[in-house]
Amino acid sequence: MQEILNKTYKRIKSDLGKGKVADYIPELAKVNPKQFAMSLVTIHGEEYNVGCFDKRFSIQSISKVIVLAMAMEIVKEKLWQRVGREPSGSAFNSLVQLESEDGKPRNPFINAGAIVTTDVVVESCLDPYKLILDFVRKNSKSYDVNFDKAVVKSEALYAQRNTALAYFMQSFGNLNSNVKKVLDVYFHHCSLAMSTLELSRLFLFLANKGINPLTDTKVMNPRYVKRINAIMMTCGLYDSAGDFAYRVGLPAKSGVGGGIVSILPGEFVLSVWSPSLNHSGNSYIGTKALEQFSRLSGKSIF
Amino acid sequence: MQEILNKTYKRIKSDLGKGKVADYIPELAKVNPKQFAMSLVTIHGEEYNVGCFDKRFSIQSISKVIVLAMAMEIVKEKLWQRVGREPSGSAFNSLVQLESEDGKPRNPFINAGAIVTTDVVVESCLDPYKLILDFVRKNSKSYDVNFDKAVVKSEALYAQRNTALAYFMQSFGNLNSNVKKVLDVYFHHCSLAMSTLELSRLFLFLANKGINPLTDTKVMNPRYVKRINAIMMTCGLYDSAGDFAYRVGLPAKSGVGGGIVSILPGEFVLSVWSPSLNHSGNSYIGTKALEQFSRLSGKSIF
Amino acid sequence: MQEILNKTYKRIKSDLGKGKVADYIPELAKVNPKQFAMSLVTIHGEEYNVGCFDKRFSIQSISKVIVLAMAMEIVKEKLWQRVGREPSGSAFNSLVQLESEDGKPRNPFINAGAIVTTDVVVESCLDPYKLILDFVRKNSKSYDVNFDKAVVKSEALYAQRNTALAYFMQSFGNLNSNVKKVLDVYFHHCSLAMSTLELSRLFLFLANKGINPLTDTKVMNPRYVKRINAIMMTCGLYDSAGDFAYRVGLPAKSGVGGGIVSILPGEFVLSVWSPSLNHSGNSYIGTKALEQFSRLSGKSIF
Amino acid sequence: MQEILNKTYKRIKSDLGKGKVADYIPELAKVNPKQFAMSLVTIHGEEYNVGCFDKRFSIQSISKVIVLAMAMEIVKEKLWQRVGREPSGSAFNSLVQLESEDGKPRNPFINAGAIVTTDVVVESCLDPYKLILDFVRKNSKSYDVNFDKAVVKSEALYAQRNTALAYFMQSFGNLNSNVKKVLDVYFHHCSLAMSTLELSRLFLFLANKGINPLTDTKVMNPRYVKRINAIMMTCGLYDSAGDFAYRVGLPAKSGVGGGIVSILPGEFVLSVWSPSLNHSGNSYIGTKALEQFSRLSGKSIF
C-alpha cells in the first residue's frame, strides 16, 4: 500500500499547482496551491501517508457528509421527505432545481440540501456547534480539531447566495429554525480545519458498517452507512459524479478547499488534499491521484 | 443463494401486478403484468432461478448496455467526444439537455445517447443487425435469440420522438450515418427478446473483468468493464439512479419491458423481470425484489 | 363613453365573483370578491365612472409602474444596465431566469426587476417613503393617499421569496442598498391603497406625453413615456401579456389586488378593479371588462 | 414623409454593412451586406421609397405573418388550441419550451408555431403552394412574385432542426399532415422573394382593418387584424420583441434575410431591408432605421 501511495505521488508530482485555487473567499484564495497529502487508513487501523498528511486545511463541503450522517441518525428515513437523493445535474448552489421541485433540494450534497440537514441538526439540540465538534473530535481522535474562525467570518461576508437559498426554502416551508442561525452553523461546519489523516480516521465508520474501529464504538446504523455511500457515489462530486465514478470508482465527497474523501467499503478510507481545483470545483490533483491509485492498486467497487 | 431467491420471491409475491405496464406501444401493453422471474448466475457458472426464468420478454433499454459495450470496443475513449457520462436529471427521451449542451447526449443510457452508440456500431460494419445478434447469441449461449419483429414494427410506428432526437443531433453534427438506418437498428436491438437467465449469462463479462466464463473468451478490455459498471451505477435507472443506488446498491440497467440486469463485480449477474412499472419507468416488482435480495443477502457494492 | 362603460358593466355583472381572490397574505384574502369599479379619465380631464370608483384597494404590482417612472427619471437609460426589458416567459417571482442571466431581472415588472427599480429610488434620496407618497399624491391630486400599514405588515410576514430574490441579486452585485431597507420600501409601495379614479388620474402623464394635464406639470421626459408604455405592452400582465394584447390591445399593468391600469396614448387612462383573479394572477372580471370595452368602443392601439 | 425617409437613410448610411449576414444557408450568406431599402405605403395608396426598394430579397420569417393570416381565416379562434400567443423567451428554433408545454408552440412566429400554421394551410386545400402564391401576388399586386428555388433547395439541405421540431410536435399529436409535405411548403413560403415596396403593399390590410385599399377587397375579418398586430407587437422580433417595442414602438415582423415589416394601424405599412443582422437575428440597419424613423416622425402606437 505504502508503495502504491508513493508511486501515485510520483506520477502527479509534476502536475502540482495545475488548476485554480478557490477564490470566492479570501481565506481560501491565499492557500499555496502546490501542497499535497494523501492518507489511507484501513478498517484494521493501518495507516499509510504521503505528503503533508498532518497539515490541516478547510474541509468545506466534506462537512456535508458529517451533517448528513448526524441528520440520518436523528430523523432516520423521514429525512427524505425534506431532501431528495438524486444527482442534480446542476451547479452546487443552483436555485433552478429548487424552484421546479417546490423547495426540496435534489440531494444532501448540494448547498440547499446541506442547509436542510444542518437545520435538522440545529432543531435537535441546544448547542449544534458542540454536537458537531464532539462528533468530529471523537471519531477522528483529534481533540483539538476546531472551526477556523477566519474562514467562518469570510464565508459570512460572501453569504448572499446561501442566504437566498435558505429564504427560498423557507418560502416553501422547508426550513424550520431561524435562517441566520442555520446559516451560522452551516458556515461553521464548512470551516472545520482537518488533515487528510484526521479525515480518513473520522470516516472509518463508513467503510466498517457503522462502527469506528479506532474507538470501537457504533457511530451509526449499518443500513444507513450503505445508504450514505450510495449517495456519495451518485452525488458526491458536484456535477461530475459520473466522470469520477468512471475514472475512480469509489464513493467520495469533495470540498472546494481541495480535499476529497473516498471510501472502499470493507477495506479503507482514502483521503487526499491538493488545493487547486478543476472546472467542476473538485481538486485537480486530488482527482488525478485517486485515479492513479485506483489504476495502480486495482481497488474500486466495480 | 437459492434460498434467498425463494425468500425474495415470497416477499414480493403479494404485490405482483402492482404498477403499470408500459403502454406506449401495443406490443408491450398486452403483456400479462403478474409475471415474475429472477436469475442469478455466478462467475463460476452456478445458476439460481425463480419464476418463469426461461420466458423471453422485450429487453428494451437493457440493449443500451450491449451497444455501449460494442461501441466502446470500436472507438474506445473517443466515444466520450460524442456522448457524456453524467446523470441527466431529466426524462429518458428529453430534448432539453441536448439543446443546451449542443447535441451531445448526457450519457449513453438516455435514448439520445444510445442513438449515438448505435450510430457508432452502424458506421463500423456492413451488417449491424448480424453483428449485434452474434454478440448476444454467443455471450448468452442461446443461438436462437432474435429480434421480435412485431415489436420492431410497433416501435417504428411510434417513433416520432426518437426521430426528432436523431434529426436534432444530426443538426449538431453528432450523427454520421443515415437517420432512418440508425433508427431501424436502434428499434431492432431494443426489441430483442430474452429471458432473465439468458440476460444473466450474456452480461457475465461485466462481473468478470471482461471475460465470459461460460465461453472462456475475452469480450472486452477489463478497464472498460469497470467503466461500464460505473455508468450503470450513476445513469442506469433513468431519473431514479440515486434512489436505486440507495435502496439496492448494485450497478444496473432497466428496460420498460420490465427487466432489470444488475451486476456485483467479482461475484455475479442478477436479472429480474416483472412487467409492471413504477412512475420512473422501472419494474415496480423488479426494484422491490432487488431491494429485498440485497437486504437478505447483504450483497451490494457499498 | 359613459354609455360604453355602463354597457361594459352590464355585460360582466353576472360573472362578478368568478375567479379567486389572492390569498398569499390574509389582508388580501378577506376582500369581498364581488366588488367592481371602472374609471376612464381623458387627457382633457373628462371623467367617466361605474361601480365603486372611489373605494380604495391595494394596488400591489401597479406600483411597479410608479417606481419604474421614478427610476427612469433618476438614472435615465442607465437603468437598462441593471434590468432588462424583455417579457420573462416565467412566473412573476421566478428565480430561474435570474440565475441564467447573472442576476439581471428580465424586466421591471417582475418582482426582481421592481426590487431593482426600488433600489434605484432608495439610493437616490434620504426618504424614499416620502418621495413615493409625494409623487402619487401630487399626480392623483388625492393628498390623503397612503400606505396600508396592515398590508405592509402582512407582506413582511410572507416575504421569504422576495427576500431570496433580493439576496440572490445582491450575490450578483445588482443590489446597492441594504436588503432589508429596499424590501421595506418595496412592501410599502405595493401596499398603496387607491381607487380606480385616483389611479386613472395618477397615470394621465403616460397618455399625455409626460405632462399631467390636471396639474399642468411635466412629470417625465416624453421619450421615456413612450418607453414605459412599450414595456407595459410587452411585460405588464405577468405571463399573459400576449393574451392580453390579443384580447384588449392596450398597454396595461395589473396587480394581485385585482386592479388593472390601461393607457390609450393620446386619449385616456382606463382603470378597472375587481378582486377575483384568473390563473395568471390578473383580475378575472377586470380583464373581461377591458376586453368588452375595447370591443364596444373600438379603442385599442392596433 | 419622403423627407423623413431621406433623413433616416442619411443617418444610417455610414453604418451600412455592420452586423453579420445570415450564414446558415449558402444562398443567404452570399448576399451583399451593404444594400438598403425602405418603403412606406399609406392606406390611401401613397408610396414613399428610399434605396433599392424594387430589389427582391428572401423574406424568410416574414412569411410567418402570411401563413398566420391564412390559418386564422381557415380555422378562426380554434387555432389557439394548437399554438399559443405568448412571447417565448427563447430562441426561434428552440425545442425546450415545446417539451415542457406538451408540443404546443408558444406563438405562431417561432419556427414550431409557423410549422403548425403551415400545417393548417396544407390541410385546408389541395395545392397550398398555389394558395400561398395567389394570396401574395393578389395583395401585393405583383403577379410575378415567386419562390426562390435555390433558397428552397438550400433550406431543405439544412433542415434537420426544423425536421426535429416537426417530428417532435407530431409525437404530441400536433401535426396532422405528412411531415415532409408540411416542411416542403414551409421552406417554400420562407423562400418567397419580394421587394420592400411589394411587402408594404402586401400587408396594407393589417393597417386598414382587413381591407386591401389597393384592390379594395376584404382580406380578413377586422377583428383578426387587430389580433395579428397584437401578436406582432409581443412576439414579432424573436427574443428582442421588448427591446424593439421600446425603441420603435410599432407591431413588426422580421426575417433573417434582413427584412422587417412594421405596421401603424390606421396609417401605413413601413418595410425596410438591409441584410446584416444583429445578435438577435434582426436586421441591424433595419432596426436602426425604424428607430430613427420613429424618432424623426414621432410615429408609434404609444
Side-chain angles (χ1 to χ4, degrees), chain C residues 214-227:
Chain C
L214 306 179
T215 62
D216 205 30
T217 52
K218 188 175 158 184
V219 180
M220 69 186 307
N221 190 321
R223 222 169 109 189
Y224 297 157
V225 164
K226 174 183 155 186
R227 300 187 165 204

Side-chain angles (χ1 to χ4, degrees), chain C residues 107-165:
Chain C
N107 66 62
F109 290 160
I110 54 174
N111 288 14
I115 291 171
V116 168
T117 51
T118 303
D119 187 39
V120 170
V121 173
V122 169
E123 277 188 285
S124 77
C125 64
L126 285 175
D127 188 346
Y129 306 95
K130 186 172 176 305
L131 200 70
I132 291 168
L133 273 188
D134 281 354
F135 183 96
V136 170
R137 288 172 174 172
K138 212 173 107 184
N139 283 302
S140 66
K141 295 188 69 174
S142 283
Y143 298 96
D144 62 343
V145 165
N146 219 328
F147 306 122
D148 181 331
K149 293 286 182 184
V151 174
V152 175
K153 223 173 173 176
S154 229
E155 299 270 10
L157 281 172
Y158 297 88
Q160 302 104 331
R161 181 72 74 105
N162 285 320
T163 310
L165 284 168

Side-chain angles (χ1 to χ4, degrees), chain A residues 72 77 80 85-87 223 226-227 229-230 233 239-243 245-248 265 294-295 301-302, chain B residues 72 77 80 85-87 223 226-227 229-230 233 239-243 245-248 251 265 294-295 301-302:
Chain A
M72 281 213 73
E77 299 284 344
W80 310 116
R85 52 197 190 227
E86 293 301 330
R223 225 170 107 186
K226 175 182 156 186
R227 300 187 165 205
N229 285 332
M233 193 73 221
D239 56 354
S240 63
D243 185 63
Y246 184 89
R247 289 164 60 193
V248 178
S294 162
R295 196 171 290 179
I301 59 172
F302 299 121
Chain B
M72 281 213 73
E77 299 283 344
W80 311 116
R85 51 196 190 229
E86 293 301 330
R223 224 170 108 187
K226 175 182 154 185
R227 298 185 168 206
N229 284 332
M233 194 73 221
D239 55 354
S240 62
D243 184 63
Y246 184 88
R247 289 164 60 193
V248 177
S294 161
R295 196 171 292 179
I301 58 172
F302 298 123

Side-chain angles (χ1 to χ4, degrees), chain D residues 9-19 32-37 273-276 283-286 288-289:
Chain D
Y9 180 52
K10 240 187 217 160
R11 290 211 180 166
I12 57 87
K13 216 174 167 179
S14 60
D15 284 336
L16 276 179
K18 280 192 187 169
N32 171 6
K34 297 213 167 183
Q35 299 176 89
F36 177 80
W273 175 57
S274 191
S276 287
S283 173
Y284 179 83
I285 295 297
K288 283 217 155 182

